[in-house]
Amino acid sequence: MSAEALVVAEGLSRHYPLPRTSLFTRAERVRAVDGVDFTLARGHSLGIVGESGSGKSTLARLVLALEPPSGGRLTLFGEDPATLSAEAMRRLRRHMQIVFQDPFGALDPRHRVARIVAEPLQALRPDLARAERRAQALEVMEQVGLRASDGDKFPHEFSGGQRQRIAIARALITKPDLIVADEPVSALDVSVQAQVLNLMRDLETSHGLTYLLISHDLVVVEYLCAEIMVMYRGRIVERAETERLFAAPAHPYTRLLLASVPRMEAGRARRDGVAPPPAEAETGDAIGDGCPFAPRCPLAEHRCRAEAPRAREIAAGHRVACHLA
């Protein structure tokens, strides 16, 4: 890849132990992220989609170095965060920020907006004077469509969309290269979602941002991201350019996700005649060595339940982990 790699994950995993129910039961683990490989290049925003519990948010915490991996290797901006000192990690964190799902819960209701927006500077740029931090906060607030006078207000005085603009301003204050957006519009009304998405798209161009966008809403990811990565039970089952993924999904799980997207055309309401999958009962290590989607897949064969498929390239830039693709 010719563009600079901001994030490189190689066999990245994060497992959580489950408490034993008795002394005679086997210790189990939840494989929240299980052997993930991907590269995120500068200027090439990547969307991660999948249903709840697929490992999207855990992967985001790993990318931001908020949690240590259980296995594999992570490189951020050419650095291994596991080998960095506290001061070196502080410098690295200036280049990446996060926008959370709940724009109200992410803002401290006791503080005025200017202080909230400037807070990352206080943590990551302690050399700056308080007046300088405030001036930068007011400047970035205007960049996201807020007024400088809004800096003296409290979060409860704003609508949901305005609060998300505040959260985006706080993420922009350190002039980051990478923004991880974890369901940034799912808590907003549809009309407000469009405003926030348009803002994010404009900022991507004007500030040279790269997004790692996490969402269960494929329409949101389609609008913002050049490439999509589909996760299921901690594993990447498919990755492709956005246009190709929507036009020719190869994994049964991806096709089921796309079939759930509401469409105006009745003929596109369900792809390939694939019915919704049955509910899933397995947890922890119960899926064994086969494909994690096999218990729900309407096309599964014996091989799918016995052998985990390896990711392979079926077209230029289109990789899928499925025996039948």
Side-chain angles (χ1 to χ4, degrees):
M1 184 174 293
S2 58
E4 176 191 354
L6 303 184
V7 181
V8 179
E10 301 171 290
L12 195 64
S13 300
R14 179 60 177 169
H15 300 168
Y16 298 99
L18 291 173
R20 294 189 180 186
T21 56
S22 75
L23 294 175
F24 306 101
T25 57
R26 181 173 65 94
E28 292 189 348
R29 299 168 297 164
V30 173
R31 300 176 180 179
V33 175
D34 195 21
V36 166
D37 296 291
F38 75 94
T39 299
L40 175 59
R42 182 184 297 276
H44 198 75
S45 293
L46 173 65
I48 305 177
V49 300
E51 61 195 14
S52 298
S54 60
K56 307 185 300 296
S57 294
T58 302
L59 182 58
R61 291 195 296 271
L62 291 174
V63 167
L64 291 167
L66 299 178
E67 291 191 26
S70 303
R73 187 168 183 267
L74 176 68
T75 303
L76 300 175
F77 301 90
E79 302 277 0
D80 183 349
T83 64
L84 297 180
S85 65
E87 179 57 32
M89 194 66 218
R90 182 196 297 270
R91 291 195 298 269
L92 182 64
R93 289 196 185 281
R94 298 177 189 174
H95 300 288
M96 51 188 184
Q97 291 292 324
I98 186 169
V99 175
F100 295 99
Q101 176 179 358
D102 182 1
F104 191 69
L107 307 177
D108 192 330
R110 301 169 300 175
H111 295 160
R112 299 182 189 274
V113 167
R115 177 177 175 179
I116 292 173
V117 173
E119 194 169 17
L121 289 179
Q122 185 175 357
L124 302 177
R125 293 289 308 276
D127 55 303
L128 294 178
R130 181 176 179 180
E132 189 173 356
R133 293 198 300 267
R134 177 179 172 85
Q136 290 191 25
L138 298 181
E139 179 182 353
V140 77
M141 285 173 58
E142 292 181 341
Q143 293 173 7
V144 300
L146 298 170
R147 296 171 297 182
S149 59
D150 292 332
D152 294 322
K153 297 179 181 179
F154 290 94
H156 72 268
E157 299 180 65
F158 296 89
S159 66
Q162 290 174 320
R163 288 195 289 261
Q164 197 60 296
R165 289 174 185 266
I166 295 169
I168 293 172
R170 181 174 60 181
L172 290 175
I173 191 72
T174 62
K175 299 180 174 62
D177 300 288
L178 170 65
I179 288 186
V180 176
D182 191 354
E183 302 278 8
V185 297
S186 63
L188 306 176
D189 294 336
V190 174
S191 59
V192 181
Q193 285 184 11
Q195 297 173 17
V196 173
L197 289 174
N198 287 333
L199 171 64
M200 292 178 67
R201 196 170 193 175
D202 292 342
L203 292 172
E204 181 181 21
T205 303
S206 60
H207 287 65
L209 297 174
T210 302
Y211 291 119
L212 182 65
L213 177 64
I214 296 165
S215 181
H216 66 276
D217 190 334
L218 285 155
V219 175
V220 170
V221 177
E222 181 184 21
Y223 182 71
L224 275 180
C225 298
E227 195 171 8
I228 297 178
M229 190 164 70
V230 182
M231 287 190 72
Y232 184 75
R233 299 204 62 164
R235 303 181 191 178
I236 299 173
V237 297
E238 188 165 3
R239 178 173 179 171
E241 296 289 330
T242 301
E243 184 176 351
R244 177 172 175 83
L245 189 89
F246 273 78
H251 197 282
Y253 179 60
T254 307
R255 295 205 298 270
L256 288 166
L257 286 178
L258 291 173
S260 69
V261 177
R263 300 286 183 181
M264 294 298 292
E265 306 91 338
R268 297 186 66 184
R270 182 163 292 171
R271 293 172 181 260
D272 302 328
V274 181
E280 184 174 16
E282 288 82 3
T283 58
D285 287 337
I287 59 174
D289 298 324
C291 174
F293 189 59
R296 301 174 66 188
C297 181
L299 309 176
E301 300 175 348
H302 174 73
R303 181 186 180 189
C304 303
R305 297 181 176 88
E307 178 187 348
R310 292 180 177 272
R312 54 192 174 88
E313 193 168 59
I314 61 172
H318 189 171
R319 297 180 62 82
V320 60
C322 178
H323 295 305
L324 306 177

